[in-house]
């Protein structure tokens, strides 16, 4: 679980005449993460697409364009229906013609609709002027402009214009619309526009029609209704095409995608005139299966070599175990020699044969260097939490995969903070709904929520809470734990528990990093760069929890009154002896000294072991805050009183209940009334109970939603405190050559 699946690099070499068969087998197996040839081998070039690649790509573009035009969503289509792709070309052409005609008609109608909308906007201006439209156009000697502007400035500018003999300016009722009629000199070369230069004025085109603007508005609105009806008809026809042809298009797209992957695969191969080599990564446990299938399908015409197995001991993933084939397969002809670690092609009168000699030549590995892809190896229970790991980055091949630690600690932190049976069951219900309704990453997210809900429910039983109430105690169950909202000892105890949890959690992160540094680099680097921090972390906190200088430390921390000794969670721990504290300080100083021999500049962060552990106290802060919010909602609804035994929620009208049982803190909405309503072991006022119910429901929904933000605090501890110690990410995702069919079958 902590390491990804081991990967092996394989090389497949053979004659071009069987290349298409090899591609077919590799695609069907869906195992090989192909390494793209980088052009570095002398005599080899990237291959050319197989015959039919251009035609397949063209059809695929057509299918995807049709899906886009139809706004095709696979969730709307019955993908379980059987699809017959016989005569697919003819059917595709029929669908294309029908969709294109409808799409063109839709575009034409939408364009006309936009034109009408623009005209309607202008007609409002013409209507404001109160002039018939035929008065605004068709003159031989008059120039007419209609638009929006400052009428006074326009008149002033026209009066000063030498080439304008006469003019008249009409202003609409709003004062913004303006119609200008001007009679220029016969000899004037300038027109009306020149006379308005520098004047605020926006001109609109006058439609060459007659009648009053109101009538034109009515006509345009009527035409717009007709267009809307026509558009609706076209949309229904397109919807009908989508429902009838959607499954066919999805199936054809999948089939063409697969065909395109196969025909374009040689672009990633190294080829000569007659031979090819393809390299790629395969899970080590699947290498034999790959070799067997390729051999069965191609006989002895291929050389299949496992040229290396990637180890987990190199930051780049290049470190490997060398693998040698005793007798590389051949298909006749002269084998290629190698020169300087590169394959060399030898010409032969009949055929060419490429040999890699088990992946080695004169001590040099003949391969395109690349990092192995990462296949995270987690169980079905843990697998959904990979979404949280990948939210940071894909693990490197040489790194520990932190998914299992997220599975063990993230829900634990969340459940500790929320700890309520009612909220927990609601989270489980929400998560399960998301898990079943959606797919892929969103489905995994739903599974994570389920786990959060389960841990919340478990802690809810330990705290004895259901929606912030302790009705569970009335059934004879006495909770093991208390949240501490009304008990200082419990609250401080939880602060100490959070600190210890952080101490242990960070130690785990440093240990992961120590092992990685030791494996990838050296023992010295592991000790200097990681061991120093382990010494500082543990030395500091052993000192803090020791009797050394106990008089200066809080009594709840060490001594006979320490909460870990006599508190609600007490187990007799009064602190480490003073000698342990001295050793702790020595270890802390030793860690700083060791760090100074390496990356000394990190010494400025010597208080990180203190600050990062204290950061885990946010767990207790959220625990108390959420409990306080739930208390506030229940107080509003039920009310509460206080007596010599403490704080209690009330379940009967306050003026009758409080005098007998104690001082009223708040009467509660549910107790405002006069008619009693039996409710379990107590009575509520009928009017108040019904009136306060919406407040009660909405209040707990708000608490549920805000309580969900506890996940942010928990995941923050994982990402910023824990991951920072050992995890970087940046690995390459395993993407094997092949395709998982969802709309078609191999047949």
């Amino acid at each position: 679980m902590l390491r990804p699946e081991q990967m092996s690099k394989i090389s497949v070499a053979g004659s071009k005449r069987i290349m298409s068969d090899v591609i077919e087998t590799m695609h069907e197996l869906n195992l090989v993460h192909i390494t793209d040839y980088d052009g570095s081998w002398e005599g080899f070039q990237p291959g050319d697409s197989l015959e039919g690649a251009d035609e397949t790509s063209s059809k695929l573009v057509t299918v995807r364009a049709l899906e886009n035009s139809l706004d095709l969503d696979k969730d709307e289509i019955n993908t379980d229906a059987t699809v017959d792709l016989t005569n697919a070309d003819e059917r595709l052409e029929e669908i294309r013609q029908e969709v294109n005609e409808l799409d063109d008609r839709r575009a034409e109608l939408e364009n006309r609709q936009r034109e009408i909308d623009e005209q309607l906007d202008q007609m409002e201006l013409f209507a404001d002027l109160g002039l018939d439209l035929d008065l605004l156009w068709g003159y031989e000697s008059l120039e007419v402009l209609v638009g929006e502007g400052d009428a006074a400035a326009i008149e002033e500018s026209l009066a000063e214009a030498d080439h304008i003999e006469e003019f008249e300016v009409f202003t609409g009722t709003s004062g913004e619309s303006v119609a200008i009629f001007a009679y220029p000199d016969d000899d004037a070369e300038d027109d009306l526009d020149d006379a308005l230069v520098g004047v605020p004025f926006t001109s609109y085109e006058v439609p060459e029609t007659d009648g009053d603007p109101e009538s034109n508005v009515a006509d345009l609105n009527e035409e717009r209704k007709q267009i809307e009806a026509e558009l609706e008809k076209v949309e229904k026809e397109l919807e009908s095409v989508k429902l009838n042809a959607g499954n066919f298009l999805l199936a054809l797209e999948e089939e063409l995608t697969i065909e395109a992957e196969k025909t374009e695969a040689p672009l990633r191969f190294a080829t000569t005139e007659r031979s090819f080599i393809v390299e790629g990564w395969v899970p080590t446990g699947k290498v034999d299966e790959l070799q067997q299938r390729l051999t069965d399908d191609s006989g002895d015409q291929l050389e299949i070599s496992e040229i290396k197995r990637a180890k987990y001991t190199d930051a780049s993933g290049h470190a490997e175990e060398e693998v040698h084939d005793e007798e590389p397969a051949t298909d006749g002809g002269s084998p290629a020699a190698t020169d300087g670690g590169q394959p060399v092609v030898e010409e032969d009168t009949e055929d060419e044969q490429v040999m890699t000699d088990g992946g080695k030549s004169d001590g040099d590995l003949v391969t395109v260097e690349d990092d192995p892809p990462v296949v995270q190896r987690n169980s079905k229970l843990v697998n959904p939490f990979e979404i949280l790991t990948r939210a940071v980055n894909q693990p490197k091949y040489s790194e520990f995969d932190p998914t299992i630690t997220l599975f063990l600690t993230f829900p634990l932190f969340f459940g500790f903070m929320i700890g309520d049976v009612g909220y927990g069951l609601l989270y489980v219900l929400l998560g399960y709904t998301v898990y079943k309704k959606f797919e892929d990453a969103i489905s995994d997210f739903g599974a994570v929520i389920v786990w959060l809900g389960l841990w919340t429910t478990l802690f809810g039983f330990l705290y004895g809470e259901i929606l912030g109430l302790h009705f569970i105690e009335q059934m004879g169950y006495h909770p093991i734990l208390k949240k501490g909202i009304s008990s200082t000892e419990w609250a401080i105890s939880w602060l100490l528990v959070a600190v210890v949890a952080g101490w242990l959690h960070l130690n785990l992160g440093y240990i992961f990093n120590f092992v990685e540094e030791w494996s990838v680099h050296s023992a010295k680097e592991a000790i200097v760069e990681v061991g120093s921090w382990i010494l500082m972390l543990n030395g500091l906190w052993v000192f803090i929890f020791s009797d050394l200088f106990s008089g200066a430390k809080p009594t709840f921390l060490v001594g006979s009154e320490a909460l870990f000794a006599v508190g609600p969670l007490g187990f007799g721990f009064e602190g480490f002896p003073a000698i342990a504290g001295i050793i702790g300080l020595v270890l802390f100083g030793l860690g700083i000294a060791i760090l100074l021999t390496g990356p000394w500049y990190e010494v400025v962060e010597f208080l990180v072991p203190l600050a990062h552990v204290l950061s885990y106290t946010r767990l207790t802060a959220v625990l108390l805050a959420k409990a306080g919010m739930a208390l506030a909602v229940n107080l509003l609804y039920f009310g509460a009183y206080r007596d010599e035994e403490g704080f209690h929620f009330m379940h009967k009208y306050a003026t009758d209940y409080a005098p007998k049982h104690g001082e009223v803190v708040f009467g509660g909405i549910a107790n405002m009334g006069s008619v009693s309503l039996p409710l379990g072991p107590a009575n509520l006022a009928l009017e108040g109970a019904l009136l306060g119910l919406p407040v009660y429901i909405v209040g707990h929904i708000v608490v549920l939603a805000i309580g969900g933000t506890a996940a942010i605090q928990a995941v923050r501890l994982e990402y910023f405190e824990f991951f920072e110690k050992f995890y970087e990410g940046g690995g390459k995702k395993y993407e094997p050559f092949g395709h998982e069919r969802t709309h078609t079958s191999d047949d």
Side-chain angles (χ1 to χ4, degrees), residues 337-370:
T338 57
D339 181 17
Q342 306 297 339
V344 176
V345 181
E346 295 182 355
E347 296 296 332
D348 185 70
T349 56
E350 295 184 3
D351 204 352
E352 271 182 327
Q353 175 65 28
V354 180
M355 303 276 290
T356 61
D357 192 27
K360 300 290 290 182
S361 174
D362 298 329
D364 293 326
L365 188 65
V366 184
T367 182
V368 176
E369 290 292 349
D370 65 334

Side-chain angles (χ1 to χ4, degrees), residues 80-91:
D80 295 331
T82 301
V83 179
D84 184 6
L85 294 180
T86 305
N87 300 322
D89 291 347
E90 292 81 356
R91 187 176 179 190

Side-chain angles (χ1 to χ4, degrees), residues 687-702:
E687 298 96 324
L690 296 177
L691 179 64
L693 194 59
V695 175
Y696 184 74
I697 294 174
V698 172
H700 278 295
I701 290 175
V702 171

Side-chain angles (χ1 to χ4, degrees), residues 138-308:
Y139 299 101
E140 294 183 0
S141 56
L142 284 178
E143 290 191 28
V144 182
L145 287 178
V146 179
E148 294 178 312
D150 186 341
I154 292 172
E155 290 180 348
E156 182 179 353
S157 180
L158 291 175
E160 295 176 355
D162 295 334
H163 60 282
I164 301 296
E165 289 190 0
E166 298 289 340
F167 67 88
E168 187 72 31
V169 177
F170 293 87
T171 305
T173 55
S174 67
E176 296 181 357
S177 56
V178 177
I180 307 169
F181 295 83
Y183 179 68
D185 278 341
D186 293 337
D187 299 331
E189 296 180 357
D190 300 324
D191 57 13
L192 181 56
D193 289 327
D194 293 331
L196 298 177
V197 172
V199 177
F201 178 74
T202 302
S203 177
Y204 293 102
E205 182 179 355
V206 179
E208 295 185 359
T209 184
D210 54 12
D212 64 280
E214 287 81 1
S215 299
N216 277 270
V217 168
D219 292 341
L220 289 172
N221 280 327
E222 182 63 29
E223 184 181 357
R224 196 181 192 285
K225 289 181 180 178
Q226 294 175 359
I227 289 176
E228 288 177 349
E230 188 67 22
L231 269 174
E232 184 177 355
K233 180 181 177 182
V234 171
E235 293 290 354
K236 287 182 178 179
E237 291 182 19
L238 285 169
E239 184 69 20
S240 176
V241 174
K242 177 169 69 173
L243 294 176
N244 292 330
N247 206 11
F248 167 79
L249 291 174
L250 291 173
L252 184 57
E253 180 193 16
E254 182 170 80
E255 191 65 31
L256 291 172
T257 299
I258 292 172
E259 190 63 28
E261 290 174 352
K262 294 176 182 178
T263 56
E264 294 174 2
L267 298 174
R268 310 171 70 181
F269 294 7
T271 65
T272 65
E273 184 178 352
R274 298 186 182 89
S275 63
F276 75 91
I277 298 177
V278 56
E279 293 185 344
W281 294 94
V282 180
T284 300
K286 299 288 186 180
V287 171
D288 290 342
E289 177 186 348
L290 175 70
Q291 291 179 327
Q292 187 63 49
R293 275 293 305 273
L294 288 173
T295 301
D296 290 345
D297 291 352
S298 304
D300 295 329
Q301 303 179 71
L302 286 176
E303 177 188 342
I304 309 166
S305 306
E306 181 185 2
I307 55 179
K308 60 182 178 180

Side-chain angles (χ1 to χ4, degrees), residues 96-133:
R96 187 191 67 80
Q97 291 182 4
E98 184 177 6
V99 171
N100 284 349
E101 289 175 3
L102 291 171
D103 200 36
D104 290 343
R105 178 58 178 157
R106 177 171 60 183
E108 180 184 342
L109 291 170
E110 288 174 344
N111 288 335
R112 178 54 185 158
Q113 190 178 52
R114 283 191 292 271
E115 291 175 0
I116 291 174
D117 290 338
E118 292 174 0
Q119 291 178 14
L120 285 172
D121 290 339
Q122 294 181 5
M123 282 299 171
E124 292 180 2
L125 181 141
F126 299 141
D128 184 59
L129 287 170
L131 300 175
D132 288 346
L133 294 174

